[in-house]
Every structure is written in structure tokens, then in C-alpha cells.
Amino acid sequence: MSRLLTAVLALSPVMASAQAYEGAVVDLRYRHYEDNSGFDMNTIGGTLDASWMFGRVGLQAGLFLGKDIDSSDDIDLEHTSALALHLTTDVSDSLRLGAMASADGIADGTEFFAAEALYLAGPVRVEARLGDTFDNSTPYTLFEVMGSYALGNALTARAGMHYADFDEGGHYGTLSLGAGYKVSGQTEIYADLKHHNNDGGSLYGDAHGSVINLGVRFDLGGSTSAKTFSYMPLN
């Protein structure tokens, strides 16, 4: 993560003085994980993302912080963090493409890169991401796609798919359905119900079960935050 932090510090004077501030979003989430082995875990986390656009080219910086708050097993409750930088370009008014570099303390300190896309058209919002690790000695591949459809001015239907592959270390995948409700023009609450398959490889075996996410998303203003990528490493 040190390389990404250095990049953020180097860019901070430019970002602070930029007149092309686009918007910022805070996303806070409670997550309940359980599987068929009887194990469950409760976690809280949140992201802060801010973006700047210079014509059709831009930059987005995101910080994630998370904490395990309770578990059914006698294990250490950990703090986690992640940092992500996105270079973005608007191909059209409805399509944004991005190149993301991220480092996190969740997937064994993985540092990885990803190509991503965000499509907005009327009530439809679709975001997708495909990533791989910088370090081939620690295999990690990520694919995820998330979509939403606005049902009027307040209610939103949500769905998503997340898949992380650790090669011999196994894989972790989720499928989700959910709904969001706009309390105001700047605040949305949401809930997602996910089915997960958690293959821990030869050491931990296979488990499956459910994940419940309860969250609130705050629009902190600017010209627009609708085009802010919403990467959150803990799924």
C-alpha cells in the first residue's frame, strides 16, 4: 500500500487546487456473514471517494476502512484498510472507463490493477471491473459487476455479482439482490442479500451461506457524484 500512498501524497497539491472537482461520496456499511459450518462474522466498514475531471479525463481517489466487531469463533477481530486510485475517461455522456490500482489488507495485502467501466442511461446504472495482481507469486483475480434500476424518484432495485480467485488458495464468490431508498437528494439507504460460496482451498475447505449488507450512502456535493466508481473491497 505504501506505493499507492506515496502517489496520493504526490498528487494532493494538484487535487487540492484543482477547479475540476466533480463530487464525493461516503458509503457506510454493516455486513453480516454466515455459512453452513456455523461460523458468522459481523463487520462495519466505509469508503470515502472523491473525483476530479479535466475535460474528459479525470482522477478518483478512494479510501476504505473496516473493522470486525463480532464473531461466533474465538478469533482475532481485525482492522482492515484499502486505498484505490482510478484514472478515468468519459467516452460519452453515458459511458465512463477507468484504470484502477488498489492495495488492501483484506486479501493478504494484495496490490492489484483493474480495468473498469461505468454505464449510466436514464434509470439504469451498471458498473463492472476486471482485475489481476501485480505480484504473480500471490495469485489474485477479481471480477465484479453491479447494476441498479431506479423505480421512480426514491426506490432503486439492485443486483450484483462478485468473484475473487486465489488460485490454489481457493475462491470467493457472491450473487446479490437488494433495494435502495433515497431519504433525500443526498442520502440513500440500502440493503443487499447475497448468497456466497467460499472455497478456502485445501487448508480450509468449502463453505456456502449468506451475506447481509445494510448501508447508507451520502452524496457530499460537487457538480455530480453519479459517475463515481463504487469499489468496496469487502463483499
Side-chain angles (χ1 to χ4, degrees):
M1 185 177 290
S2 59
R3 286 180 286 180
L4 282 176
L5 182 58
T6 301
V8 169
L9 293 175
L11 287 167
S12 59
V14 177
M15 296 189 295
S17 62
Q19 299 302 311
Y21 172 68
E22 184 179 42
V25 173
V26 170
D27 194 337
L28 305 178
R29 180 180 296 178
Y30 162 81
R31 174 181 182 263
H32 175 75
Y33 169 99
E34 62 181 41
D35 62 36
N36 60 318
S37 71
F39 174 77
D40 65 70
M41 172 78 79
N42 296 305
T43 305
I44 56 174
T47 56
L48 169 61
D49 284 282
S51 61
W52 295 259
M53 289 300 293
F54 309 91
R56 288 194 174 273
V57 178
L59 173 70
Q60 179 181 325
L63 174 66
F64 168 83
L65 296 174
K67 185 182 187 305
D68 300 334
I69 58 174
D70 184 40
S71 172
S72 60
D73 289 2
D74 184 17
I75 60 175
D76 292 335
L77 300 177
E78 298 182 349
H79 292 79
T80 55
S81 62
L83 183 64
L85 292 177
H86 313 249
L87 294 178
T88 65
T89 181
D90 283 347
V91 178
S92 68
D93 291 340
S94 59
L95 179 61
R96 171 168 293 184
L97 302 180
M100 183 184 80
S102 178
D104 68 59
I106 299 165
D108 298 324
T110 298
E111 296 182 348
F112 74 101
F113 61 93
E116 52 191 0
L118 175 61
Y119 177 76
L120 285 167
V124 177
R125 186 185 193 277
V126 180
E127 180 178 344
R129 185 171 293 106
L130 177 62
D132 202 351
T133 183
F134 284 108
D135 184 1
N136 291 330
S137 66
T138 55
Y140 177 70
T141 302
L142 171 71
F143 173 70
E144 58 185 5
V145 58
M146 299 151 285
S148 64
Y149 188 89
L151 303 169
N153 295 325
L155 188 62
T156 302
R158 299 158 53 95
M161 177 267 209
H162 171 93
Y163 183 80
D165 192 328
F166 302 93
D167 197 19
E168 294 182 359
H171 61 263
Y172 176 74
T174 65
L175 293 172
S176 70
L177 290 174
Y181 181 80
K182 281 198 171 184
V183 180
S184 69
Q186 290 74 41
T187 305
E188 181 184 29
I189 57 175
Y190 63 87
D192 298 314
L193 176 61
K194 303 186 177 187
H195 173 77
H196 75 79
N197 180 264
N198 192 354
D199 179 359
S202 58
L203 290 177
Y204 301 105
D206 181 73
H208 58 85
S210 63
V211 176
I212 298 173
N213 285 338
L214 302 175
V216 56
R217 181 179 170 93
F218 301 98
D219 184 341
L220 300 185
S223 58
T224 177
S225 60
K227 286 188 175 181
T228 302
F229 284 106
S230 58
Y231 172 68
M232 185 179 285
L234 193 61
N235 260 290

